[in-house]
Amino acid sequence: MEIEIRNFTVRRGEFVLQPVSLTIRKGEIFALLGRTGSGKTVLLEAIAGMFPGDKGEVLYDGVNVMEIPPCKRKMGIVYQNDGLFPHMKVEDNISYGLRMHGYSKQERKQTAEELMDMLSISHIRNQYPGTLSGGEKQRTALARALALRPELLLLDEPFSALDPATKEVLYKNIMEIHRLFGCTIIFVTHDFKEAELLSSEVGILLEGELLEVTEGKQLLKGSYSRKIEEFLGGRK
């Protein structure tokens, strides 16, 4: 799915996201990089349709989706806090969306089995979220987001609270998901090395403004404005 953002701006309380125009190619892994409070999550949620903008448009494959609710946008989203239902076991969390969309019990079970196997969480299928490690929670949240085969996967700092070893496992999971599903992936991060490692392109947001879009592999090698150079200080 190609995402096109045209002159989109929004105010949330005291924060203003300055007009953003951006195209994210179909099948791309795109990072939104910036400090905390720079507008990364606001832009991600705008793409997801969580709130209307004050101005501008968001298009999926050339179709303006501003009036289409998130549940009908063929996208999945995973937040830093995972958002799992605490009263449901892992398998039930994963298949929840399928149940809401009327899939049969057998279809739900088969899809959950495939995703749990892919993400190596079959052994925790009958556990509740409160008993899981951070990495297990995030892999369960990923499986739930993938259950309906989204064309767009949105990730809001899903790795930030994890230890380095667990991050490495999840990085591999993301790359495998991208290979198998072929979906467009947009993820929020404040870690520029993470952005370089995972993304094909990076959008740098600072103080509510999209300042630069560059290739992921060139992120730590390019020359930038003073504001961006200060943010990337010590990168070399």
Side-chain angles (χ1 to χ4, degrees):
M1 179 186 289
E2 180 178 272
I3 306 300
E4 185 179 358
I5 303 163
R6 296 178 178 172
N7 200 35
F8 185 91
T9 185
V10 66
R11 178 184 292 273
R12 298 192 73 184
E14 296 297 315
F15 177 81
V16 178
L17 180 68
Q18 300 297 328
V20 172
S21 292
L22 173 67
T23 298
I24 299 171
R25 297 187 300 270
K26 182 177 181 179
E28 185 172 19
I29 301 181
F30 191 95
L32 293 172
L33 174 68
R35 298 187 185 92
T36 299
S38 63
K40 306 182 301 296
T41 297
V42 171
L43 181 54
L44 192 80
E45 290 182 337
I47 292 170
M50 299 301 184
F51 53 84
D54 296 322
K55 182 181 177 182
E57 298 175 326
V58 176
L59 292 83
Y60 288 9
D61 286 336
V63 177
N64 187 345
V65 295
M66 296 299 291
E67 302 300 323
I68 298 176
C71 62
K72 295 183 178 180
R73 291 196 181 194
K74 296 183 180 179
M75 63 93 187
I77 187 165
V78 177
Y79 284 100
Q80 179 181 345
N81 65 0
D82 68 68
L84 297 174
F85 300 117
H87 62 289
M88 290 185 184
K89 295 178 181 179
V90 164
E91 184 173 353
D92 295 329
N93 262 285
I94 294 169
S95 61
Y96 176 80
L98 296 167
R99 181 160 61 88
M100 292 297 99
H101 281 78
Y103 285 75
S104 70
K105 184 175 181 180
Q106 181 57 37
E107 288 172 320
R108 300 197 304 267
K109 185 174 182 61
Q110 181 177 340
T111 297
E113 289 276 5
E114 291 171 354
L115 291 168
M116 287 188 293
D117 183 60
M118 182 184 76
L119 292 166
S120 301
I121 53 174
S122 297
H123 63 291
I124 59 169
R125 63 188 313 138
N126 291 317
Q127 292 182 226
Y128 290 95
T131 69
L132 306 180
S133 68
E136 289 169 341
K137 289 178 181 179
Q138 287 299 65
R139 280 181 282 164
T140 301
L142 275 171
R144 185 176 66 180
L146 293 168
L148 288 166
R149 296 297 191 267
E151 296 179 23
L152 173 64
L153 180 62
L154 305 175
L155 308 173
D156 187 11
E157 297 200 55
F159 318 117
S160 62
L162 304 176
D163 63 82
T166 302
K167 283 184 181 182
E168 289 296 326
V169 172
L170 277 164
Y171 292 163
K172 292 177 182 178
N173 289 152
I174 293 299
M175 300 308 292
E176 182 71 359
I177 287 166
H178 185 248
R179 184 182 71 82
L180 293 174
F181 286 77
C183 54
T184 304
I185 298 175
I186 306 173
F187 73 97
V188 164
T189 182
H190 59 261
D191 184 332
F192 46 84
K193 292 184 179 179
E194 185 172 278
E196 178 193 37
L197 175 67
L198 294 176
S199 67
S200 44
E201 285 199 309
V202 182
I204 302 173
L205 285 95
L206 295 172
E207 298 175 6
E209 186 176 2
L210 180 65
L211 297 177
E212 184 84 29
V213 175
T214 186
E215 291 184 36
K217 62 185 179 182
Q218 294 297 320
L219 174 64
L220 303 181
K221 301 174 184 177
S223 296
Y224 304 104
S225 67
R226 186 173 67 179
K227 186 180 289 188
I228 294 176
E229 291 287 354
E230 288 174 354
F231 169 59
L232 296 175
R235 59 193 162 125
K236 297 177 182 178

